Structures are given as C-alpha cells and as structure tokens.
C-alpha cells in the first residue's frame, strides 16, 4: 500500500510513535519561544538589534527569508522535531551567538555526556581531540551555522538537549541527530540506521499488529 506524502507532512513512522508532538523544525522552534514575546527590541536583550525573541509577531518571517539558501529552507521545513516531555520551558530568550555552531554542539555534548541518553553523544569521545563523528559532521554544516545565527546559542543548546531532531535523508528517510533514541521507543530500528520512513510499519503479510507497540508512548 502506498500513501502520498506531501512536503512538510509528518512521516507516518514519526506520527505513529510521537503522534501530534512531531512537528517540522521551524514550527517546533516557534513553539519553544517564550510567550508573550518581548514587546519591543529596545527592551530585548539584543538591545535593539532585533532577534528572534523580539520578533514576536512574525518569528517565521525572521527564521525563513526569501533570500535563504534552499538547503536551509529544507532543514527548517523538512526536518521533524519532537520536544521531550521532560523539557523545561524556555523562560526568557537571550540572543547570543558568541559560540560557533561547532562549539555549541561540543559544549552541549560535554554537558550531557554520561548522564543522558541522547543520540547527539553517539560515538563522541571526550578524550579524543580530533573528533570524527557523523552527528557532529551533520550538525556543523554551513546550513546549521545559518540556523545558529538566527536562533542563537541558548535555543540551539535547548534543542540539542531536549528535542529529538530528524533530518531528511536519502530516499525519504530521516536521520536522528539529537534527543532520546527512537530505537529505544521502537525495537524495529537499529542503532545506526537512518529512520526508514518509507518501509517501517507498512502492513506485514503475516498480519502482525506492530502498531500496538506504540500504544504507550
Ligand atoms: Zn531581540
Ligand atoms: Zn516502530
């Protein structure tokens, strides 16, 4: 059985596991912003420069602009994200891009390594200085640096610590780069493989109800 998938529609496998908690990355970021937004940029911690935190009436227009590269647009609109139940609320938005994106990723990993099950730590070794790690490579592209410029350190760290992010991958699959491992929620996933959003959970010839596995999540 084949189903049509519109761009931006939640892949079926993510829908079955997370329900309506699975959203596009851009929707998730907007949802995380403190409400109500800061009334004017002069009162904002960006001191009038203008940032995501004081662009309350149009955060989507701040995040996605006409002139943005296609890869960036795809990152925000074709990646999916699920905020953890345990995530604290973002109380105030402070815009700060002092760190590079690579520093953000490494500092986040160093904050949570050992005390948190988060795929961002996969294959990361604190003692090794030259890291080669697939997740690190995926999260430090120029596309992610632009995303970092728009949302700042604090929100980026929050995303990596508390949000499961699934990047679009080859053949309609998605690849999890942060958050609680999806393979812990569903035994059908292997540890390293991308999330197959095209094959997983299609009706089995034997008629087994694999979907029932997810009734508790
Ligand atoms: Zn601001
Ligand atoms: Zn499953």
């Amino acid at each position: 059985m084949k189903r049509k998938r519109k761009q931006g529609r939640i892949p079926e496998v993510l829908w079955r596991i997370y329900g309506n908690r699975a959203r596009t990355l851009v929707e998730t970021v907007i949802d995380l912003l403190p409400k109500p937004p800061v009334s004017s940029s002069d009162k904002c911690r960006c001191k009038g420069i203008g940032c995501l935190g004081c662009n309350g009436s149009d955060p989507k227009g701040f995040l996605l602009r006409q002139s943005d590269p296609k890869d960036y647009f795809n990152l925000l609109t074709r990646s999916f994200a699920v905020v953890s139940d345990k995530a604290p609320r973002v109380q105030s938005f402070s815009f700060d891009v002092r760190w590079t994106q690579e520093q953000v990723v490494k500092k986040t990993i160093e904050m949570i390594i050992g005390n948190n099950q988060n795929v961002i730590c996969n294959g990361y070794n604190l003692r090794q200085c030259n890291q080669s790690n697939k997740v690190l490579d995926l999260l430090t592209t120029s596309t992610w640096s632009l995303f970092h410029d728009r949302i700042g350190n604090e929100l980026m760290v929050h995303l990596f610590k508390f949000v499961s992010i699934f990047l679009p991958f080859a053949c309609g699959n998605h690849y999890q780069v942060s958050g609680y491992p999806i393979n812990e929620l569903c035994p059908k996933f292997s540890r390293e493989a991308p999330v197959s959003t095209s094959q997983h959970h299609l009706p089995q010839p034997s008629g087994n109800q694999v979907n029932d596995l997810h009734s508790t999540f």
Side-chain angles (χ1 to χ4, degrees):
M1 192 204 299
K2 274 205 164 182
R3 295 181 190 227
K4 282 181 191 167
R5 265 184 202 86
K6 280 183 206 150
Q7 201 178 359
R9 216 187 104 182
I10 309 303
E12 184 162 343
V13 55
L14 298 182
W15 176 261
R16 295 215 182 170
I17 293 178
Y18 301 108
N20 57 13
R21 293 167 61 213
R23 324 269 307 267
T24 60
L25 186 54
V26 66
E27 287 172 322
T28 302
V29 168
I30 292 167
D31 252 17
L32 285 173
L33 293 173
K35 290 162 196 78
V38 183
S39 54
S40 85
S41 60
D42 300 322
K43 292 191 187 120
C44 182
R45 286 199 243 172
C46 72
K47 297 189 177 84
I49 298 166
C51 74
L52 187 60
C54 52
N55 220 273
S57 58
D58 188 20
K60 196 168 185 175
F62 187 88
L63 288 167
L64 291 171
R65 304 169 196 179
Q66 291 265 295
S67 55
D68 285 336
K70 189 153 197 325
D71 284 348
Y72 174 78
F73 182 83
N74 288 343
L75 171 68
L76 266 71
T77 60
R78 295 176 64 189
S79 299
F80 293 92
V82 181
V83 180
S84 163
D85 293 334
K86 296 178 186 110
R89 290 200 32 186
V90 179
Q91 298 287 357
S92 68
F93 181 81
S94 106
F95 187 76
D96 182 354
V97 288
R98 265 178 304 173
W99 296 345
T100 64
Q101 173 66 3
E102 186 173 338
Q103 285 174 310
V104 172
V105 178
K106 288 187 170 174
K107 281 172 192 279
T108 307
I109 292 171
E110 281 157 25
M111 269 182 245
I112 62 176
I113 200 162
N115 60 29
N116 196 337
Q117 250 195 314
N118 187 319
V119 299
I120 200 172
C121 300
N122 280 1
Y124 194 87
N125 184 340
L126 282 175
R127 279 180 220 124
Q128 225 175 288
C129 10
N130 283 322
Q131 300 288 338
S132 86
N133 154 337
K134 180 158 182 146
V135 170
L136 190 64
D137 291 345
L138 285 169
L139 294 177
T140 51
T141 60
S142 58
T143 304
W144 276 90
S145 294
L146 177 57
F147 185 33
H148 173 238
D149 290 345
R150 299 276 163 88
I151 72 170
N153 293 340
E154 215 173 285
L155 204 52
M156 189 65 87
V157 170
H158 187 91
L159 282 178
F160 291 154
K161 282 172 84 173
F162 302 112
V163 180
S164 299
I165 301 175
F166 300 88
L167 303 183
F169 214 67
C171 309
N173 292 333
H174 285 76
Y175 194 90
Q176 187 177 7
V177 289
S178 68
Y180 190 74
I182 192 170
N183 62 294
E184 297 284 342
L185 298 177
C186 173
K188 290 195 88 185
F189 295 112
S190 72
R191 244 195 175 292
E192 294 298 328
V195 177
S196 168
T197 44
S198 44
Q199 298 295 314
H200 187 70
H201 289 177
L202 291 177
Q204 305 285 304
S206 61
N208 283 345
Q209 289 291 311
V210 280
N211 311 346
D212 290 349
L213 286 168
H214 302 132
S215 53
T216 52
F217 298 108

